[in-house]
Every structure is written in structure tokens, then in C-alpha cells.
Amino acid sequence: MKWYTCTPVPFKGDHTFFSRDSGAFCKAFQRIGLESRAIMPTPVQEGDDPDLIRTEYANLEDAAWWKSLGIDGLVLYAWGTGKYLPIARAIHDAGIFLVVYMDSSGLFFPWQYWLPIAENMWTRDVFARGKIRGTAFFLLRLLKQHTWNLASRGRRKHLDQGDMVAFPMPAAVKSIQDREWLYGKSIVRKLALIPNPISSTCRYAGEKRNIIMAVGRWDDLLYKRPFLLMATLEQALPRAPHWEAEIYGNIPPLLREWHGNLPEDLRARIRLAGYLPNAEL
């Protein structure tokens, strides 16, 4: 049996891709004995894994090309957005069992967690454009989300192409189930809870230490929420004097400024580690 995966964005195709997202599904399928490869658009990049197929983007929208692969099923990791509807439709038309996979949450704005999402959108826009221009840009985006984007027609059509619509967390599944009036019975019947695979490169060896490790792109204020990380560590570590924290990834000025203003004893227990090679991490 052949089960492939696809991400319609030309990310790096090295070992870091195959330890997460659709690349991790590819390796997980292989571990249970299925033939599996991952598909991404060109261009070919240095370090691409042998299990990666690079193809012209136009092929991803071509049902005949998908049919030529002779595969039984595919996990499409395309965030369920209307932009990638032609790809989902081509896979469906090729007669391939399609699992539309909804990234890390699938909690669609504005339905779930309206206030924290709006606050983070505003924070990101102000951080990127300044207070006046950022606030104006935020208000325009907020208006669009509650008018043009509200019906989510492109997303509904994308999800409807799938034989299964998978989410990695129960709250996301429930958010669609509770809004059958918006998404329709045909989509609700296809819902499934499928957690993200864990990379086989993750190995535990040695004695555990009392360290909180935080890894992310910390300049992404909306999704990685560095302000929440900072507030959490400030509250948690004083109550746990035998614990430390290490922060990996890019370290933006806001993190360095926060770290420099911490009380000395707390600052000594929080290390801004920065980038570390994936294999070492």
C-alpha cells in the first residue's frame, strides 16, 4: 500500500522537515511498513531528503499527474485554506483517498478564543508597523475576518474534498462539530482526531534534569506568543527554585530586554540559548 504526503509550499526538505508536519507523517507511514514519500513544489534545495519528491506546482493541480503516481492515499498538509482548493480537488478527482490535515490546531478565527487571538494580532501588527499604522492595519484585518472571511467558503470547499478531515486536538474537532450549521453535515461526518507523529529521531538517554525547554521562532508574536512564555516563566520559576529554563530559536530584542531586566537570581536560571542544530536539540 502507498500513502504519500504533500505540503504545497517549497520549504526546506532536509531532516528538519521530516521530523515534523507532513514529513513526520511520511516517516511514520514508513515505520509501519507502508511505502511513503513526501511531495513539495520545486525548486530543489540543498539537503533535500531522498524521500522527497519535488515537482512543478502546476502538477499539484493536475488530477492526471496525481493518478500517475499510483498511490492509495495522501495526507494533504495545506491548512484547509481556499488557496489550495485546486490541489485538494485534483487529488480527489484522481480517486486517491484524501486526508485533509489541519496543522497544529485548526481553531479558526474568529470562532474559538476570540479575545487572545485578536490581542495577539494587534500585538504583532503594532510590533511590525508601529502603534498608529499597526492599529489601523489590525482594525482593517479584523473587519475583513468578520465580513469577507466569515463564511469561509474556500475553506469549506477545501475540507469537503477530503475523505477525512483530521485535526490534532479535541478542541478543534469540537469547534467544527458545534458549527455544523456553518460547515455542513458532509464535513462533520468526516472529522477525525489524529495527533501529530513524533519523530523517530527523538530519543531519551540519560538522567532527567529539572529544565523547561522552550523552542520556537520567538519573533512570531501571534503564533509562538513570546509574551506568554515570559509571563509563565516569571510566575513559575520563583515557585520552583530547583528548576531552570532554556529558550532555543531566534532571540528577538524583546526577549533580550526582558531577560536583562529580570532579578539577578531569576536571570541566572533562564538561559537564552539561541539556535542549536536540530540533531543536537
Side-chain angles (χ1 to χ4, degrees):
M1 183 172 285
K2 298 180 181 181
W3 269 80
Y4 284 17
T5 73
C6 175
T7 300
V9 177
F11 295 125
K12 284 186 176 181
D14 59 10
H15 68 282
T16 60
F17 172 76
F18 281 91
S19 64
R20 61 187 178 88
D21 302 342
S22 67
F25 273 103
C26 171
K27 296 298 185 181
F29 285 142
Q30 292 176 358
R31 291 198 297 273
I32 62 173
L34 302 181
E35 180 181 329
S36 186
R37 299 184 72 185
I39 298 170
M40 275 198 289
T42 52
V44 172
Q45 299 190 32
E46 184 179 355
D48 277 354
D49 189 283
D51 287 327
L52 178 64
I53 297 173
R54 293 278 191 184
T55 188
E56 296 296 325
Y57 190 91
N59 286 335
L60 301 181
E61 298 181 346
D62 183 353
W65 182 83
W66 283 107
K67 199 163 188 177
S68 72
L69 297 177
I71 61 178
D72 301 286
L74 183 119
V75 176
L76 178 61
Y77 201 95
W79 308 279
T81 61
K83 176 181 179 180
Y84 301 116
L85 169 61
I87 297 177
R89 182 180 288 127
I91 298 165
H92 177 271
D93 291 348
I96 298 167
F97 190 97
L98 174 60
V99 178
V100 175
Y101 194 79
M102 296 306 301
D103 195 64
S104 58
S105 68
L107 295 171
F108 303 135
F109 186 87
W111 301 117
Q112 293 287 114
Y113 307 114
W114 185 91
L115 184 59
I117 291 178
E119 286 178 343
N120 278 278
M121 286 172 60
W122 179 82
T123 301
R124 184 180 67 173
D125 289 340
V126 169
F127 180 78
R129 296 176 172 82
K131 193 166 186 178
I132 296 177
R133 291 181 67 245
T135 299
F137 192 82
F138 160 73
L139 291 174
L140 288 173
R141 286 207 299 142
L142 198 67
L143 179 63
K144 182 181 178 182
Q145 291 284 8
H146 287 77
T147 53
W148 179 260
N149 290 354
L150 190 63
S152 302
R153 292 187 69 244
R155 177 178 292 124
R156 291 205 314 274
K157 289 180 179 180
H158 184 143
L159 300 185
D160 209 32
Q161 297 300 313
D163 298 283
M164 179 183 293
V165 180
F167 294 83
M169 57 185 289
V173 175
K174 190 173 188 304
S175 73
I176 304 299
Q177 290 174 333
D178 290 348
R179 293 170 181 86
E180 185 178 297
W181 57 270
L182 175 64
Y183 291 98
K185 290 183 179 180
S186 63
I187 291 175
V188 170
R189 282 197 296 264
K190 303 174 188 177
L191 295 177
L193 176 66
I194 303 178
N196 288 301
I198 297 174
S199 171
S200 61
T201 61
C202 294
R203 292 285 185 268
Y204 168 66
E207 184 179 352
K208 287 187 177 182
R209 299 161 59 196
N210 293 339
I211 294 180
I212 299 167
M213 294 180 63
V215 185
R217 52 181 191 273
W218 299 113
D219 58 350
D220 189 335
L221 305 186
L222 176 61
Y223 294 107
K224 301 312 175 187
R225 305 182 68 183
F227 292 105
L228 179 59
L229 170 67
M230 293 184 282
T232 301
L233 293 179
E234 279 192 66
Q235 293 182 42
L237 289 182
R239 304 180 187 184
H242 301 299
W243 281 74
E244 299 177 357
E246 296 180 352
I247 301 176
Y248 292 90
N250 59 330
I251 308 295
L254 63 93
L255 262 176
R256 296 190 185 279
E257 181 180 356
W258 163 78
H259 187 259
N261 291 328
L262 290 172
E264 185 177 350
D265 61 330
L266 193 56
R267 187 167 65 247
R269 293 164 54 204
I270 300 175
R271 186 165 75 93
L272 302 181
Y275 283 108
L276 192 68
N278 186 267
E280 185 178 345
L281 187 63

